[in-house]
Amino acid sequence: MARARLRDLGIKLGRLPTGPLNAITDVAGVEVGHSTLIRDTPAVVRTGVTMIWPHRDIFSDYCFAGFHSFNGNGEMTGTTWLAEQGLLSAPIGITCTHCVGVVRDAICSYAAGKGIKQAFHLPVVAETHDGWLSDAETFPVTEAMAHEALERAKAGPVAEGSVGGGTGMICHEFKGGIGTSSRVAAEAGERFTVGVLVQANYGARDLLRVDGVPVGREITHDIVPGHRAPFNADGSIIVILATDAPLLPIQCQRLARRATTGLAWAGGIGANGSGDIFLAFSTGNRVKNNAPHADVRMLGAERMTLLFRAAAEATEEAIINALTAAETMTGFQGRTLHALPLDRLQQVMAKYRPAPS
Amino acid sequence: MARARLRDLGIKLGRLPTGPLNAITDVAGVEVGHSTLIRDTPAVVRTGVTMIWPHRDIFSDYCFAGFHSFNGNGEMTGTTWLAEQGLLSAPIGITCTHCVGVVRDAICSYAAGKGIKQAFHLPVVAETHDGWLSDAETFPVTEAMAHEALERAKAGPVAEGSVGGGTGMICHEFKGGIGTSSRVAAEAGERFTVGVLVQANYGARDLLRVDGVPVGREITHDIVPGHRAPFNADGSIIVILATDAPLLPIQCQRLARRATTGLAWAGGIGANGSGDIFLAFSTGNRVKNNAPHADVRMLGAERMTLLFRAAAEATEEAIINALTAAETMTGFQGRTLHALPLDRLQQVMAKYRPAPS
Amino acid sequence: MARARLRDLGIKLGRLPTGPLNAITDVAGVEVGHSTLIRDTPAVVRTGVTMIWPHRDIFSDYCFAGFHSFNGNGEMTGTTWLAEQGLLSAPIGITCTHCVGVVRDAICSYAAGKGIKQAFHLPVVAETHDGWLSDAETFPVTEAMAHEALERAKAGPVAEGSVGGGTGMICHEFKGGIGTSSRVAAEAGERFTVGVLVQANYGARDLLRVDGVPVGREITHDIVPGHRAPFNADGSIIVILATDAPLLPIQCQRLARRATTGLAWAGGIGANGSGDIFLAFSTGNRVKNNAPHADVRMLGAERMTLLFRAAAEATEEAIINALTAAETMTGFQGRTLHALPLDRLQQVMAKYRPAPS
Amino acid sequence: MARARLRDLGIKLGRLPTGPLNAITDVAGVEVGHSTLIRDTPAVVRTGVTMIWPHRDIFSDYCFAGFHSFNGNGEMTGTTWLAEQGLLSAPIGITCTHCVGVVRDAICSYAAGKGIKQAFHLPVVAETHDGWLSDAETFPVTEAMAHEALERAKAGPVAEGSVGGGTGMICHEFKGGIGTSSRVAAEAGERFTVGVLVQANYGARDLLRVDGVPVGREITHDIVPGHRAPFNADGSIIVILATDAPLLPIQCQRLARRATTGLAWAGGIGANGSGDIFLAFSTGNRVKNNAPHADVRMLGAERMTLLFRAAAEATEEAIINALTAAETMTGFQGRTLHALPLDRLQQVMAKYRPAPS
């Protein structure tokens, strides 16, 4: 069966409408690029880089942003600056654990190569570990791959599953990777979009739920032969949330924290070994580098609730989209990781969701 | 239909076994006491105080503890000290918003009255707001009530629903209040208990779920006449987690943060107006006040995962227990808040949970 | 010798100019009120309450604010809300440790009494402990005193030393209390004021410095007979920083953190038992309660440096002003705490500060 | 005049005794290594890497650690893990801003090369920016340099000034770099050492103080011709604190925060552009990777005060040692940065410090 997005399977999550693409790129200006590396010699490698541009002027027109670490057993660079200033000043990278450094420096060198006049950069690069399917100790990601992902980035639909940073990932003991989704929050005559992109590499099988249905209890390892829990089912997930709502840095922190809700709905519990780290940025305000002051808009506190629901729903669906998009993969040491079987998913959903009476 | 605990209705949540009482008091030494105030003159008051003793020597034998604010639109005193030292040195109070202060000072005066020799106290007292059912601006809680709750505290079963601090509370637009639950985490030949007590006063109806089943979508306001969303469905929830696992302060912080998972499973999204603040303490280590050093035990990091699951499951079930225990209440300005109808709950659960095949 | 402010003694601190009052009230709109309780029967009490209004409309027109806990062995209520929303929505109280609660609730009851239409309040009330000079276990502060301090608040010069919340305080083992100072930060054609008010109750004698001069090493206990270290020289300090610069919440957090610099200059090291907790608010933006959005101004990041220097200088001078203003006091159990001898201070400063050559 | 350590100039800071080396290596097991790169072709480079081993078994026997960001305009990787677990599991690197990534990954590759069996690493690497003296956009630091610094590390005296990561640094507008110092805290029959190493690259001239003496006001740019403020005098400082006192993670956080005091004493105000980030680790407890539990010791809270003083004093002196050790350097674009003139320093100290009477 060909891979699909969750909604293509007739399964809807949540109450709020999606944006036209049901992707992080529904937030105007956001662009996503992947660089994927799949090779068997000299080492078996399944890895890559995903880059997210909040907008193309990000090196000079900063966005407000904030992060939350639900479980910090992972790396996200740039967080002390986010905590201090709440400003995002470079594109965001996601890659494998051992390659965070090269990707982080590569964003600096990309800016230098483009003649960006700035003393230094403090980019945000996050990771999840792909060492079960990929020979991570070969440190396969290069500066060129990071630059490629930056250059390839574009608006429009986002490739999901085993691409970019998500190439070698595992989620609820199925093949995981990149997933995306979005929601539209319309209230008081205004419409804001919340878009989410995840690199999903976490979770125990039996905790997986789709719209509350205990999919992971039904599609056990026995049902799909060869499915085995790699490692200790800990893993990690990086969630990037974008919105065009005009938020202040402290509000971006709040929004980032709400990825926890969507992750919990999908079955994440912040297991010990998991690096569950979330970043939210707002394109609704721009702050010029070095401006003496900036006039900015702040969404009223009461109106955050709808954004929080949007963030939770889009995070949940982005995770499931990673699962429905990713294909079965064989990698390092001949290991095979099976994809979530879509027909089984549909059967389980039907079993637990009564027909409207 | 008489009120009940969730399991009495034949509904189970989660995978881990409960402790014998399925209550926070399954953690040895923990005692809970309520002082409840329901009166109609001179003002209509539905309020109270709930006190939790980690153990009876807490004024001199401190526990490690940590807190997490998922959404900080509420009050929990004592948090700067928790963040600094990670030590809990007094019983914990929960009450209504406008009475946090009197209860906080009352813990100090209780200690003074008992001849506790200590320069000062920094007790933890948290709150949720009961102003829809209770005339909160009469500031009804007294020092005597706080002392009464401290004195009445005992081990054994814990009264749930509209008692103590939970008396006037609202949860998912049903009558809310106090709920409790516990889980046993057994691994590597050791058994630890995680017990949870909540004061549940949050949530939108349509988000309520029980074991993933969308109960809140099914039991709408139309079905139960007179159910109306009071306020803006924001509310708040305080979660107190106790464990006998030997945790360090930083590990208590981690455990506290996991209440988010259980809250999300029940349908909490950390709405803007909600004070969703969690405290976890460990009775597995004791630190004598003023000791020059202490020898303490730390649970291995890998073993935290099972505790995290226990915390999530017990939080979810404690919330639902608050709903199934609380009875319909009429209060301030003649307002009535309906209880979750238990027969309807059972019907909905049956509808969404296929019979074992 | 009559008590004085530091500058009246011919001693200047720092480089930036002060505001006209050299007080927190140099920030337009800020008002300060004290209620002082000194009595010898039925118990010996030396205590009080100090209230700070950011402006008189604070219950409906919120200010951005942020806090920092340098050493959290103390209490400041309202911090979870500050961390979440960054909004200050009530006047700020400072009092003694055991009376934080009554003062906190009293701000709520004050608002209720004034007919403020708001579901609840989460006021900020902080404390330092006066138990050496005052019989703290009598819980002497009343709701009426808190209301009195609110009512008495006014613009103009601020009473310093042993007044209000500072009445029974100890600083560097001299008599401490309330002190204030301000600085003007002028840059790029704009002038902003940073005003500071401290309740100073911390510190070891030998660490006290004034403009770098080791005053505490020179004015030892031997020189002033009867000076003895009460308790363990731990104590606490609360620092409230006000500015009219247009700051966002995250910038207020930054400003609050800079009180650490001024405290360190005066000789504070965040000793274990000290509650060194700082709050900064900005009157440069106002956010209407319940507004759907707000247009606000943000000072450019580069321009924060001058504010940081202003905050450090004003904090240092406010502490020294508390010392030079406070008079020798005899209190609980007949204990006497000596004031910093001003003539000795001048002699020491002259000894260490060479005449301009 | 040859460069020297501060105490060689007859100038003492603080009250507590130093360890035998007056260096971070006074903490048993700690080793420091530098790799320094000074070359003029193809680009003018003045940079390097400094590595600190808490002890040589750090990849399997973890230390407790904690960090504090006084001003987060900088990078320190590994902080989400430190915040979550409080465990340090790799040597610590310090380098230039644009090379944080390569050094971070190099620690991972070093471990892989040594056959360390671990799924992944989350090393701590921090930076300050050397772009005024070094052509930073050539990204000059290599994996080999990082490995070299790791291999060269040793106990004993630590090279200071323009070495390793400190090679191209600027401090208070003098030549800065690496500095180190230590203090012994003896109390209740026990002796603990606090050792500090800084990479000092921050500060405005006029704020520089040595033991309270306003050295920076006296040694102005006019006095030493050619001294000019590079950039905006913002810069950054990384402070690494080591102790053999048995601290828990939360206590390491407290100790790290106390570097603020020493920094303030030397004249740091956490200027906007400064990345003032501090890490403290304790060798007093070791936690085996993957152990089911660990028995650890916790220093009593009351005894932290002396450690805090030690941390403040050692941080202050380490900064001044960086200044007295670093030599005048000419670098990128022919710029020259002058060293602190030691004879002038002695003259100023004599002027402000009266002879004992």
mmCIF file of all heavy atoms in Angstrom, chain A residues 219-247:
data_model
loop_
_atom_site.group_PDB
_atom_site.id
_atom_site.type_symbol
_atom_site.label_atom_id
_atom_site.label_comp_id
_atom_site.label_asym_id
_atom_site.label_seq_id
_atom_site.Cartn_x
_atom_site.Cartn_y
_atom_site.Cartn_z
ATOM 1 N N ILE A 219 -1.953 -2.779 17.203
ATOM 2 C CA ILE A 219 -0.951 -3.192 16.212
ATOM 3 C C ILE A 219 0.338 -3.499 16.964
ATOM 4 O O ILE A 219 1.258 -2.695 17.046
ATOM 5 C CB ILE A 219 -0.736 -2.118 15.137
ATOM 6 C CG1 ILE A 219 -2.089 -1.614 14.603
ATOM 7 C CG2 ILE A 219 0.121 -2.673 14.003
ATOM 8 C CD1 ILE A 219 -1.993 -0.585 13.503
ATOM 9 N N THR A 220 0.376 -4.668 17.541
ATOM 10 C CA THR A 220 1.514 -5.047 18.372
ATOM 11 C C THR A 220 2.621 -5.609 17.503
ATOM 12 O O THR A 220 2.494 -5.747 16.288
ATOM 13 C CB THR A 220 1.096 -6.114 19.396
ATOM 14 O OG1 THR A 220 0.716 -7.280 18.661
ATOM 15 C CG2 THR A 220 -0.077 -5.628 20.220
ATOM 16 N N HIS A 221 3.700 -5.956 18.148
ATOM 17 C CA HIS A 221 4.818 -6.550 17.423
ATOM 18 C C HIS A 221 4.443 -7.906 16.854
ATOM 19 O O HIS A 221 4.958 -8.313 15.816
ATOM 20 C CB HIS A 221 6.022 -6.691 18.351
ATOM 21 C CG HIS A 221 6.460 -5.386 18.917
ATOM 22 N ND1 HIS A 221 6.590 -5.150 20.259
ATOM 23 C CD2 HIS A 221 6.772 -4.227 18.304
ATOM 24 C CE1 HIS A 221 6.982 -3.909 20.454
ATOM 25 N NE2 HIS A 221 7.097 -3.324 19.283
ATOM 26 N N ASP A 222 3.563 -8.591 17.501
ATOM 27 C CA ASP A 222 3.187 -9.909 17.010
ATOM 28 C C ASP A 222 2.441 -9.819 15.689
ATOM 29 O O ASP A 222 2.602 -10.647 14.807
ATOM 30 C CB ASP A 222 2.283 -10.608 18.038
ATOM 31 C CG ASP A 222 3.052 -10.904 19.308
ATOM 32 O OD1 ASP A 222 4.294 -10.925 19.244
ATOM 33 O OD2 ASP A 222 2.410 -11.084 20.351
ATOM 34 N N ILE A 223 1.615 -8.811 15.569
ATOM 35 C CA ILE A 223 0.796 -8.690 14.372
ATOM 36 C C ILE A 223 1.645 -8.396 13.150
ATOM 37 O O ILE A 223 1.437 -8.937 12.066
ATOM 38 C CB ILE A 223 -0.275 -7.596 14.588
ATOM 39 C CG1 ILE A 223 -1.309 -8.129 15.577
ATOM 40 C CG2 ILE A 223 -0.930 -7.194 13.278
ATOM 41 C CD1 ILE A 223 -2.382 -7.147 15.935
ATOM 42 N N VAL A 224 2.616 -7.551 13.310
ATOM 43 C CA VAL A 224 3.513 -7.245 12.199
ATOM 44 C C VAL A 224 4.849 -7.923 12.471
ATOM 45 O O VAL A 224 5.634 -7.430 13.271
ATOM 46 C CB VAL A 224 3.692 -5.726 12.043
ATOM 47 C CG1 VAL A 224 4.617 -5.433 10.878
ATOM 48 C CG2 VAL A 224 2.351 -5.055 11.878
ATOM 49 N N PRO A 225 5.095 -9.048 11.839
ATOM 50 C CA PRO A 225 6.298 -9.826 12.172
ATOM 51 C C PRO A 225 7.557 -8.984 11.963
ATOM 52 O O PRO A 225 7.644 -8.196 11.029
ATOM 53 C CB PRO A 225 6.252 -10.985 11.177
ATOM 54 C CG PRO A 225 4.846 -11.055 10.695
ATOM 55 C CD PRO A 225 4.311 -9.669 10.763
ATOM 56 N N GLY A 226 8.470 -9.175 12.848
ATOM 57 C CA GLY A 226 9.739 -8.473 12.694
ATOM 58 C C GLY A 226 9.776 -7.133 13.384
ATOM 59 O O GLY A 226 10.827 -6.533 13.507
ATOM 60 N N HIS A 227 8.642 -6.647 13.816
ATOM 61 C CA HIS A 227 8.662 -5.402 14.574
ATOM 62 C C HIS A 227 9.233 -5.683 15.945
ATOM 63 O O HIS A 227 8.687 -6.483 16.690
ATOM 64 C CB HIS A 227 7.244 -4.831 14.737
ATOM 65 C CG HIS A 227 6.823 -4.006 13.580
ATOM 66 N ND1 HIS A 227 6.422 -2.706 13.684
ATOM 67 C CD2 HIS A 227 6.773 -4.307 12.274
ATOM 68 C CE1 HIS A 227 6.107 -2.247 12.491
ATOM 69 N NE2 HIS A 227 6.306 -3.204 11.614
ATOM 70 N N ARG A 228 10.298 -5.028 16.255
ATOM 71 C CA ARG A 228 10.879 -5.184 17.576
ATOM 72 C C ARG A 228 11.243 -3.820 18.132
ATOM 73 O O ARG A 228 11.565 -2.901 17.377
ATOM 74 C CB ARG A 228 12.143 -6.062 17.515
ATOM 75 C CG ARG A 228 11.851 -7.504 17.193
ATOM 76 C CD ARG A 228 10.999 -8.149 18.309
ATOM 77 N NE ARG A 228 11.651 -7.980 19.606
ATOM 78 C CZ ARG A 228 12.651 -8.735 20.020
ATOM 79 N NH1 ARG A 228 13.103 -9.724 19.275
ATOM 80 N NH2 ARG A 228 13.204 -8.520 21.197
ATOM 81 N N ALA A 229 11.187 -3.727 19.392
ATOM 82 C CA ALA A 229 11.536 -2.453 20.019
ATOM 83 C C ALA A 229 13.025 -2.210 19.865
ATOM 84 O O ALA A 229 13.824 -2.939 20.424
ATOM 85 C CB ALA A 229 11.164 -2.470 21.495
ATOM 86 N N PRO A 230 13.413 -1.230 19.072
ATOM 87 C CA PRO A 230 14.827 -0.895 19.030
ATOM 88 C C PRO A 230 15.182 -0.116 20.288
ATOM 89 O O PRO A 230 14.350 0.574 20.861
ATOM 90 C CB PRO A 230 14.943 -0.030 17.786
ATOM 91 C CG PRO A 230 13.587 0.523 17.563
ATOM 92 C CD PRO A 230 12.605 -0.365 18.242
ATOM 93 N N PHE A 231 16.420 -0.209 20.677
ATOM 94 C CA PHE A 231 16.878 0.472 21.888
ATOM 95 C C PHE A 231 15.875 0.238 23.015
ATOM 96 O O PHE A 231 15.324 -0.845 23.174
ATOM 97 C CB PHE A 231 17.052 1.980 21.659
ATOM 98 C CG PHE A 231 17.927 2.274 20.498
ATOM 99 C CD1 PHE A 231 17.453 2.952 19.391
ATOM 100 C CD2 PHE A 231 19.249 1.842 20.491
ATOM 101 C CE1 PHE A 231 18.276 3.208 18.320
ATOM 102 C CE2 PHE A 231 20.064 2.101 19.422
ATOM 103 C CZ PHE A 231 19.583 2.773 18.324
ATOM 104 N N ASN A 232 15.622 1.281 23.737
ATOM 105 C CA ASN A 232 14.723 1.154 24.869
ATOM 106 C C ASN A 232 13.445 1.950 24.662
ATOM 107 O O ASN A 232 12.827 2.390 25.615
ATOM 108 C CB ASN A 232 15.407 1.602 26.160
ATOM 109 C CG ASN A 232 15.986 2.985 25.984
ATOM 110 O OD1 ASN A 232 15.818 3.597 24.922
ATOM 111 N ND2 ASN A 232 16.642 3.491 27.004
ATOM 112 N N ALA A 233 13.108 2.157 23.398
ATOM 113 C CA ALA A 233 11.875 2.869 23.079
ATOM 114 C C ALA A 233 11.859 4.282 23.639
ATOM 115 O O ALA A 233 10.806 4.855 23.871
ATOM 116 C CB ALA A 233 10.641 2.101 23.550
ATOM 117 N N ASP A 234 13.016 4.828 23.867
ATOM 118 C CA ASP A 234 13.065 6.183 24.389
ATOM 119 C C ASP A 234 12.975 7.196 23.249
ATOM 120 O O ASP A 234 11.961 7.829 23.054
ATOM 121 C CB ASP A 234 14.371 6.414 25.155
ATOM 122 C CG ASP A 234 14.241 6.022 26.616
ATOM 123 O OD1 ASP A 234 13.181 5.518 26.986
ATOM 124 O OD2 ASP A 234 15.192 6.242 27.363
ATOM 125 N N GLY A 235 14.067 7.313 22.508
ATOM 126 C CA GLY A 235 14.072 8.214 21.369
ATOM 127 C C GLY A 235 13.886 9.656 21.758
ATOM 128 O O GLY A 235 14.162 10.056 22.888
ATOM 129 N N SER A 236 13.419 10.452 20.831
ATOM 130 C CA SER A 236 13.343 11.899 20.994
ATOM 131 C C SER A 236 12.380 12.460 19.965
ATOM 132 O O SER A 236 12.077 11.822 18.968
ATOM 133 C CB SER A 236 14.721 12.545 20.720
ATOM 134 O OG SER A 236 15.660 12.204 21.697
ATOM 135 N N ILE A 237 11.930 13.690 20.222
ATOM 136 C CA ILE A 237 11.159 14.401 19.207
ATOM 137 C C ILE A 237 11.460 15.889 19.282
ATOM 138 O O ILE A 237 11.506 16.470 20.365
ATOM 139 C CB ILE A 237 9.633 14.140 19.349
ATOM 140 C CG1 ILE A 237 8.871 14.892 18.252
ATOM 141 C CG2 ILE A 237 9.124 14.522 20.722
ATOM 142 C CD1 ILE A 237 7.417 14.476 18.111
ATOM 143 N N ILE A 238 11.677 16.445 18.117
ATOM 144 C CA ILE A 238 11.829 17.891 17.991
ATOM 145 C C ILE A 238 10.559 18.419 17.334
ATOM 146 O O ILE A 238 10.105 17.884 16.327
ATOM 147 C CB ILE A 238 13.053 18.244 17.124
ATOM 148 C CG1 ILE A 238 14.331 17.679 17.742
ATOM 149 C CG2 ILE A 238 13.150 19.758 16.916
ATOM 150 C CD1 ILE A 238 14.680 18.197 19.115
ATOM 151 N N VAL A 239 9.975 19.442 17.946
ATOM 152 C CA VAL A 239 8.769 20.060 17.388
ATOM 153 C C VAL A 239 9.064 21.530 17.123
ATOM 154 O O VAL A 239 9.487 22.253 18.025
ATOM 155 C CB VAL A 239 7.568 19.941 18.357
ATOM 156 C CG1 VAL A 239 6.313 20.539 17.725
ATOM 157 C CG2 VAL A 239 7.336 18.501 18.771
ATOM 158 N N ILE A 240 8.839 21.948 15.882
ATOM 159 C CA ILE A 240 8.986 23.358 15.510
ATOM 160 C C ILE A 240 7.594 23.894 15.201
ATOM 161 O O ILE A 240 6.884 23.352 14.342
ATOM 162 C CB ILE A 240 9.894 23.526 14.271
ATOM 163 C CG1 ILE A 240 11.221 22.773 14.450
ATOM 164 C CG2 ILE A 240 10.108 25.011 13.959
ATOM 165 C CD1 ILE A 240 12.105 23.273 15.556
ATOM 166 N N LEU A 241 7.194 24.945 15.909
ATOM 167 C CA LEU A 241 5.876 25.552 15.709
ATOM 168 C C LEU A 241 6.055 26.948 15.135
ATOM 169 O O LEU A 241 6.852 27.738 15.658
ATOM 170 C CB LEU A 241 5.128 25.653 17.042
ATOM 171 C CG LEU A 241 4.933 24.361 17.829
ATOM 172 C CD1 LEU A 241 5.960 24.282 18.957
ATOM 173 C CD2 LEU A 241 3.530 24.239 18.390
ATOM 174 N N ALA A 242 5.314 27.224 14.084
ATOM 175 C CA ALA A 242 5.339 28.547 13.466
ATOM 176 C C ALA A 242 3.946 29.146 13.524
ATOM 177 O O ALA A 242 2.955 28.422 13.414
ATOM 178 C CB ALA A 242 5.772 28.431 12.002
ATOM 179 N N THR A 243 3.884 30.450 13.730
ATOM 180 C CA THR A 243 2.570 31.099 13.658
ATOM 181 C C THR A 243 2.724 32.504 13.121
ATOM 182 O O THR A 243 3.772 33.132 13.297
ATOM 183 C CB THR A 243 1.875 31.137 15.031
ATOM 184 O OG1 THR A 243 0.538 31.659 14.849
ATOM 185 C CG2 THR A 243 2.593 32.045 16.017
ATOM 186 N N ASP A 244 1.679 32.972 12.489
ATOM 187 C CA ASP A 244 1.655 34.370 12.051
ATOM 188 C C ASP A 244 0.927 35.250 13.064
ATOM 189 O O ASP A 244 0.842 36.467 12.873
ATOM 190 C CB ASP A 244 1.027 34.506 10.665
ATOM 191 C CG ASP A 244 -0.332 33.827 10.572
ATOM 192 O OD1 ASP A 244 -0.862 33.364 11.612
ATOM 193 O OD2 ASP A 244 -0.874 33.734 9.460
ATOM 194 N N ALA A 245 0.439 34.676 14.125
ATOM 195 C CA ALA A 245 -0.146 35.490 15.196
ATOM 196 C C ALA A 245 0.961 36.348 15.806
ATOM 197 O O ALA A 245 2.090 35.888 15.957
ATOM 198 C CB ALA A 245 -0.768 34.599 16.265
ATOM 199 N N PRO A 246 0.632 37.590 16.156
ATOM 200 C CA PRO A 246 1.664 38.477 16.684
ATOM 201 C C PRO A 246 1.930 38.185 18.156
ATOM 202 O O PRO A 246 1.222 38.666 19.032
ATOM 203 C CB PRO A 246 1.048 39.867 16.487
ATOM 204 C CG PRO A 246 -0.420 39.648 16.575
ATOM 205 C CD PRO A 246 -0.686 38.261 16.043
ATOM 206 N N LEU A 247 2.945 37.399 18.395
ATOM 207 C CA LEU A 247 3.261 36.989 19.764
ATOM 208 C C LEU A 247 4.545 37.667 20.235
ATOM 209 O O LEU A 247 5.446 37.919 19.454
ATOM 210 C CB LEU A 247 3.442 35.471 19.833
ATOM 211 C CG LEU A 247 2.284 34.606 19.354
ATOM 212 C CD1 LEU A 247 2.578 33.145 19.658
ATOM 213 C CD2 LEU A 247 0.973 35.025 19.978
#
